[in-house]
Amino acid sequence: MIRIVIRKFLEVLLFLLVITFVSFLFVRLAPGDPVLTILNVDELTVSQEQVEALREDMGFNKPLLVQYGYWLIDFIQLDFGTSYSTGQPVMEIILLGLPATLELTFGALLVMIIVAIPLGSLAALYRNSWIDQISRILSIIGAAVPSFWLGLILIDVFSARLNWLPSMGREGSATLILPALTLGLAISSVYVRLLRSSLLDSLNQEFIRAGRARGLSELRIFFAHAFRHSLPPVITVFGVSLGSLIGGVVVIEVLFAYPGIGKMVVDAIRQRDFPLIQGYILVMAVIVFIVNTCVDLSYRYLNPEIKIKEREISR
């Protein structure tokens, strides 16, 4: 276990070094000049001397590697810089928006679990039945419909026509329902079919037939053995698709004017706010890395064969 922790620690150091350099390079090479945005050249008359003076004060006249070195030193000291548009520390802005994004993410995951687990399980238990056919049709529709279009439909029905739910902002739990439902339904279609396929594979294993021969009930066989055995592929796909989930959060936050860090970074891109964009990329990269690490560690519990192999290697 200590070896795993040390290896993961070294991996995260290398990962952060690579992601900071690549993201810094891409952000700096992107079109647009933050100096002109800060000076509001479209509204004010600004001389070239003022532009060059501000660019020198901000360090933009130095080579990219030198700029990255200064930024990396600040990052090691947990200083993400100051937002160009608001003048607030980047970490303070991110910490203000992060709870809303996590709230929306967990809400979407809850919707996905409520939809995917029962529907995928019933489709596997009653293979080729009308339940299986309905799950297949819903999965195809869910995979084909873009999340933003689904969000517009839900806004039109439940907010504009029925006036049941608010469609914008973050004021109370009611404002979370539509965005979480939109994102949760959009991602659940993948996991319904995946869970069904994985459960069918588990139900055909030798240990399932052995359990039935021993007289175990079908409920115990399904929940205690088959369902647990079917989870690793689902969790693997979740770890891989986490980036898509985060991208979906950005789209949904903009659509519902939900004040999370996804909407924040879209505004930052418009304003060429480099420190805020850089901070967002790093925070999301760390979150993805932590989730993938948890996925790797969860295999030790869900798949006992890994523990057996590790013991054999240690001998």
Side-chain angles (χ1 to χ4, degrees):
M1 191 66 179
I2 296 178
R3 278 191 309 176
I4 295 176
V5 173
I6 294 174
R7 188 188 67 187
K8 289 296 180 183
F9 179 74
L10 295 176
E11 285 179 1
V12 74
L13 288 180
L14 179 61
F15 172 77
L16 286 176
L17 184 63
V18 173
I19 198 68
T20 54
F21 178 75
V22 173
S23 60
F24 185 91
L25 189 65
F26 283 172
V27 169
R28 290 300 190 276
L29 295 178
D33 190 342
V35 173
L36 300 180
T37 304
I38 293 171
L39 292 175
N40 291 322
V41 294
D42 294 333
E43 301 177 6
L44 302 173
T45 302
V46 180
S47 65
Q48 186 63 30
E49 289 77 12
Q50 291 175 300
V51 173
E52 294 299 329
L54 182 57
R55 183 172 284 114
E56 184 175 355
D57 289 341
M58 299 177 71
F60 290 149
N61 60 334
K62 295 182 175 62
L64 279 177
L65 287 178
V66 175
Q67 294 181 44
Y68 173 71
Y70 285 133
W71 183 89
L72 186 61
I73 292 172
D74 292 336
F75 170 70
I76 293 173
Q77 299 172 358
L78 299 180
D79 181 6
F80 283 56
T82 304
S83 170
Y84 295 159
S85 56
T86 65
Q88 294 177 273
V90 169
M91 185 54 66
E92 180 180 314
I93 298 175
I94 291 176
L95 290 178
L96 285 175
L98 188 59
T101 296
L102 293 178
E103 185 179 82
L104 176 55
T105 302
F106 286 121
L109 291 177
L110 180 61
V111 172
M112 185 268 288
I113 291 171
I114 292 173
V115 173
I117 291 181
L119 199 55
S121 301
L122 290 173
L125 285 173
Y126 302 99
R127 184 180 181 182
N128 297 326
S129 66
W130 63 272
I131 297 177
D132 191 14
Q133 297 298 328
I134 290 176
S135 72
R136 187 174 304 173
I137 293 172
L138 292 177
S139 297
I140 294 173
I141 294 174
V145 174
S147 59
F148 70 88
W149 189 83
L150 177 60
L152 291 173
I153 295 297
L154 293 179
I155 290 173
D156 180 62
V157 174
F158 294 102
S159 183
R161 297 179 186 272
L162 299 176
N163 198 26
W164 286 356
L165 296 168
S167 62
M168 297 179 65
R170 181 177 176 241
E171 298 177 1
S173 57
T175 55
L176 177 63
I177 295 176
L178 284 183
L181 193 62
T182 301
L183 188 58
L185 290 176
I187 63 177
S188 62
S189 58
V190 176
Y191 295 98
V192 168
R193 304 310 298 172
L194 180 62
L195 182 59
R196 173 191 179 275
S197 176
S198 184
L199 276 171
L200 288 176
D201 181 67
S202 298
L203 291 171
N204 290 324
Q205 296 295 319
E206 289 292 336
F207 66 88
I208 297 296
R209 287 192 283 269
R212 287 174 177 151
R214 289 166 51 196
L216 298 179
S217 66
E218 287 295 325
L219 285 177
R220 183 175 179 185
I221 289 174
F222 182 81
F223 288 106
H225 300 286
F227 188 78
R228 177 180 174 181
H229 184 267
S230 67
L231 286 181
V234 178
I235 294 177
T236 300
V237 173
F238 173 74
V240 173
S241 63
L242 185 62
S244 301
L245 176 61
I246 293 174
V249 170
V250 174
V251 174
I252 298 305
E253 284 183 357
V254 173
L255 178 63
F256 288 92
Y258 205 75
I261 55 177
K263 184 177 182 300
M264 172 205 72
V265 77
V266 172
D267 296 336
I269 292 172
R270 293 197 191 103
Q271 298 164 355
R272 306 295 188 271
D273 197 336
F274 289 169
L276 198 50
I277 299 171
Q278 189 81 13
Y280 169 83
I281 293 173
L282 283 175
V283 169
M284 290 298 101
V286 170
I287 290 176
V288 170
F289 186 88
I290 291 173
V291 171
N292 284 328
T293 301
C294 293
V295 168
D296 292 340
L297 294 177
S298 68
Y299 289 155
R300 294 171 55 84
Y301 171 75
L302 295 172
N303 192 351
E305 294 178 1
I306 295 178
K307 292 182 179 181
I308 297 172
K309 290 180 181 178
E310 288 180 352
R311 289 171 185 171
E312 291 176 353
I313 293 173
S314 62
R315 290 175 185 174

